[in-house]
Amino acid sequence: MAITVKDVAKKAGVATSTVSRVVNNHPSISEATKKKVQKVMDELGYVPNIAARNLGKRTSNAIGIILPPLNSKERMANPFFLEIIEAITDESRNNNMTTAVAVAKSLNDLLEDVKVMHTQKQVSGFILAYAHQGDPVIAYLTENHIPFTLIGQPYTQHETISYIDNDNQLLGQHATEYLIEKGHRNILFVTNSIKEGIYFERYFGYQKAMMINQLKPYDSVSIIEHTDYADFEDTLITSKASAIVVLDDIFALRVMQLVQMYGYQVPDDISVISFNNSILSTLTHPYLTTIDIDASQLGHEAVRMLIRQLNGENTSITKIVVPHELIERETVIEYKK
């Protein structure tokens, strides 16, 4: 039979309420009593029922992970989110906390999930693994003073939202400058998202690199609808592109397939560079040249930042930037006219 509070109280010679106060580290209990009760708990092998404790206190010992709307198979299979979840779960475990994940196909559905998790006290706070323009989830969390940390740069409330991110504008600039250094001049930026923060920031970085080098930046090429795939071939022909910057690794593999379907070879005809350095970047040939964003550190730091909030620390001015690293592989070569 499982050891109960009553068993501990009986052997320690104290009331059950005293044992509960010791478990919850209540300040009214003396150090001597705490040590005596703790000794008995250790001897009996008593493990406090954390779920019951949280229910009684109307609090939780869990962190909610909110993923962006996963409205396509590509987004659902993106290794970045698995890496983020693993890192957040690992750091939460280090702090004796558990995790719960909110997943939906739309922002409105995500909002409903978050409301349930909050009102039922399933979690103490949230980590958003995305930054989305006009996000109703952030609005709800802010209006209700719910602790949360953002992985990404907020569109508004920069001085009140704590966040951790890469310098995505610098990432876009670095990737584009690397292609320019290799002799490429006609460079496209291709994306499958036009609403998330990483798109804006990385595209701005692309534009900045092109203009600094006195090259004309192209409008970003969005491949989202079915008709966009056909239009992409025309864009390749009219732009005479010799290189492409792609929003992330998993979409880069799709772009490489399209390029080859249209009769081009990667990297002989068109070089490709992307971001994230996910496991997919080395699963097919040619191996993908990419920028490592250190997803693991993003997840770990996000948990630490949230826990500081939960402990009552003011983190409104906390902005952490995680460094990146260019990983040179096989999809970028020197441009030859």
Side-chain angles (χ1 to χ4, degrees), residues 179 184-189 236 240-245 269-273 332 335:
L179 295 174
H184 297 277
R185 296 295 179 265
N186 294 332
I187 304 170
L188 298 176
F189 186 96
L236 291 174
K240 299 180 181 179
S242 66
I244 302 172
V245 180
D269 301 317
I270 297 179
S271 291
V272 175
I273 187 170
V332 175
Y335 176 68

Side-chain angles (χ1 to χ4, degrees), residues 292-310:
D292 192 330
I293 62 173
D294 201 343
S296 179
Q297 187 177 351
L298 287 170
H300 282 276
E301 292 289 354
V303 174
R304 293 168 191 153
M305 187 181 292
L306 179 60
I307 288 176
R308 289 197 293 273
Q309 282 191 59
L310 297 176

Side-chain angles (χ1 to χ4, degrees), residues 50-70:
I50 294 176
R53 285 167 54 196
N54 290 335
L55 182 62
K57 294 187 298 180
R58 298 297 292 163
T59 60
S60 170
N61 203 43
I63 290 174
I65 306 171
I66 309 175
L67 300 183
L70 302 180

Side-chain angles (χ1 to χ4, degrees), residues 213-262:
N213 288 275
Q214 299 182 335
L215 299 172
K216 182 180 179 181
Y218 292 89
D219 292 338
S220 65
V221 180
S222 302
I223 303 181
I224 301 173
E225 306 296 335
H226 292 297
T227 54
D228 297 335
Y229 288 87
D231 294 340
F232 183 47
E233 181 178 15
D234 294 334
T235 302
L236 291 174
I237 295 172
T238 56
S239 66
K240 299 180 181 179
S242 66
I244 302 172
V245 180
V246 187
L247 188 66
D248 64 36
D249 288 348
I250 190 169
F251 188 55
L253 299 182
R254 174 61 60 87
V255 170
M256 288 166 60
Q257 289 177 337
L258 286 174
V259 165
Q260 292 167 352
M261 184 175 71
Y262 297 143

Side-chain angles (χ1 to χ4, degrees), residues 110-257:
L110 267 182
L111 176 60
E112 293 306 310
D113 289 347
V114 169
K115 286 180 178 179
V116 171
M117 295 169 76
H118 169 58
T119 56
Q120 294 185 2
K121 304 296 181 182
Q122 296 176 14
V123 298
S124 298
F126 294 90
I127 294 175
L128 282 76
Y130 68 96
H132 201 291
Q133 190 173 21
D135 186 4
V137 174
I138 288 183
Y140 174 78
L141 296 176
T142 303
E143 290 168 4
N144 290 277
H145 308 288
I146 303 168
F148 74 95
T149 292
L150 182 66
I151 298 178
Q153 192 170 145
Y155 287 85
T156 59
Q157 307 176 70
H158 292 83
E159 299 305 317
T160 58
I161 294 178
S162 59
Y163 66 90
I164 178 168
D165 200 5
N166 306 104
D167 187 336
N168 280 293
Q169 187 172 147
L170 184 60
L171 262 68
Q173 182 178 348
H174 191 176
T176 308
E177 287 177 343
Y178 176 70
L179 295 174
I180 294 172
E181 290 168 4
K182 292 291 186 180
H184 297 277
R185 296 295 179 265
N186 294 332
I187 304 170
L188 298 176
F189 186 96
V190 180
T191 181
N192 62 342
S193 171
I194 56 173
K195 292 183 178 180
E196 292 186 42
I198 59 170
Y199 158 67
F200 292 107
E201 294 297 321
R202 291 174 184 176
Y203 180 55
F204 290 159
Y206 155 83
Q207 291 176 308
K208 183 176 181 181
M210 294 291 281
M211 289 187 289
I212 286 176
N213 288 275
Q214 299 182 335
L215 299 172
K216 182 180 179 181
Y218 292 89
D219 292 338
S220 65
V221 180
S222 302
I223 303 181
I224 301 173
E225 306 296 335
H226 292 297
T227 54
D228 297 335
Y229 288 87
D231 294 340
F232 183 47
E233 181 178 15
D234 294 334
T235 302
L236 291 174
I237 295 172
T238 56
S239 66
K240 299 180 181 179
S242 66
I244 302 172
V245 180
V246 187
L247 188 66
D248 64 36
D249 288 348
I250 190 169
F251 188 55
L253 299 182
R254 174 61 60 87
V255 170
M256 288 166 60
Q257 289 177 337

Side-chain angles (χ1 to χ4, degrees), residues 14-23 29 33 37:
V14 299
T16 54
S17 59
T18 300
V19 177
S20 296
R21 289 191 179 99
V22 170
V23 169
I29 305 299
T33 301
V37 173

